[in-house]
Amino acid sequence: MKKYEAMAKLDLPEKEHQWVSEQAEMLLTSFSALESIDTEGVEPLVSVLGIQNVFREDVAVKSIAREDLLANAPEQADGYFQVPRTLE
């Protein structure tokens, strides 16, 4: 465990070192149990939901003309809304 502490640049007090060691040992035991499971031929799971692509079709629709949008703008410049500068 000291090797891992050094790699992570940790300097734990002995009490915390003991607790971390116990937690790490528990994780290693859990992972070793998972290694015994045969996963040959199992496809990786991308999503737990059984759905594919749910995006709508990208369809162009008529939008409001720029001139109509800018008609009520307090200030405009070169076809864009003009707003006060916020950064110097």
Side-chain angles (χ1 to χ4, degrees):
M1 190 63 198
K2 291 284 187 187
K3 179 174 118 178
Y4 296 118
E5 280 184 49
M7 288 187 336
K9 298 186 182 346
L10 296 174
D11 186 21
L12 299 173
E14 187 56 38
K15 183 178 179 184
E16 288 181 23
H17 171 76
Q18 182 64 32
W19 182 83
V20 170
S21 295
E22 291 169 3
Q23 298 299 311
E25 186 62 37
M26 182 183 68
L27 285 172
L28 290 173
T29 303
S30 298
F31 287 132
S32 67
L34 290 174
E35 286 179 341
S36 67
I37 298 172
D38 180 23
T39 58
E40 187 68 34
V42 176
E43 290 291 322
L45 183 64
V46 176
S47 173
V48 296
L49 303 175
I51 55 176
Q52 296 293 325
N53 185 354
V54 294
F55 300 119
R56 65 175 168 77
E57 271 304 307
D58 190 12
V59 179
V61 294
K62 183 166 174 52
S63 62
I64 302 171
R66 182 184 298 244
E67 295 78 26
D68 293 337
L69 288 171
L70 292 171
N72 293 324
E75 294 183 47
Q76 54 179 300
D78 298 324
Y80 296 97
F81 291 100
Q82 184 155 354
V83 295
R85 172 173 264 173
T86 56
L87 299 174
E88 295 297 324

